[in-house]
Amino acid sequence: YCFDSNPEREVFWSLLNCGKISKVWFTGMLTHGQSDFYISYIDPDSHTLRHYYPDFLVLNDDGSYTILEVKADNQIENAIVQAKADYTQQMAIASGMRYEIVKSSNAEKYVYN
């Protein structure tokens, strides 16, 4: 896989080793129509419709899904990151899923629940 960062790689290995999941899809490297898994959102700067490809989609042992994004600490409050998070959270709740952002500084010690 072509991870954007070491924190993404660390979260991926944490997911693989947690024992509570059935499948993990790394979707963060898939953009520009390479994947059907994306969230549409309105870019707060350009006010245009854009597509967001979260880093991971996780199928849990209980059949539920979790969407995970690994993000650098200094980017968490960015307006575009927040717009993506808001739209994804709304979609996740409406679909019975969970959405979580993992700060890069927490990736090394991240434990999937």
Side-chain angles (χ1 to χ4, degrees):
Y1 294 119
C2 298
F3 294 104
D4 288 340
S5 64
N6 284 333
E8 278 184 4
R9 183 179 297 109
E10 291 167 355
V11 169
F12 180 71
W13 283 108
S14 174
L15 292 169
L16 290 180
N17 293 313
C18 87
K20 297 178 184 176
I21 59 175
S22 296
K23 294 183 181 183
V24 177
W25 292 272
F26 174 54
T27 58
M29 68 181 183
L30 303 173
T31 59
H32 308 294
Q34 294 170 311
S35 171
D36 290 333
F37 182 69
Y38 61 85
I39 287 70
S40 297
Y41 72 100
I42 302 295
D43 184 306
D45 294 336
S46 66
H47 305 287
T48 59
L49 182 66
R50 309 242 352 235
H51 298 303
Y52 161 48
Y53 297 84
D55 292 324
F56 301 101
L57 177 62
V58 178
L59 173 58
N60 301 296
D61 280 345
D62 65 3
S64 66
Y65 286 88
T66 302
I67 302 165
L68 288 175
E69 176 69 22
V70 180
K71 193 55 71 184
D73 292 28
N74 65 343
Q75 294 180 346
I76 299 284
E77 300 302 321
N78 175 283
I80 293 174
V81 171
Q82 286 299 306
K84 291 175 182 179
D86 290 345
Y87 279 84
T88 304
Q89 185 66 32
Q90 290 174 40
M91 189 279 307
I93 289 169
S95 302
M97 302 170 120
R98 194 175 88 181
Y99 177 61
E100 183 179 345
I101 295 179
V102 179
K103 287 184 178 182
S104 290
S105 61
N106 295 333
E108 189 174 304
K109 58 187 177 226
Y110 178 74
V111 176
Y112 184 72
N113 294 318

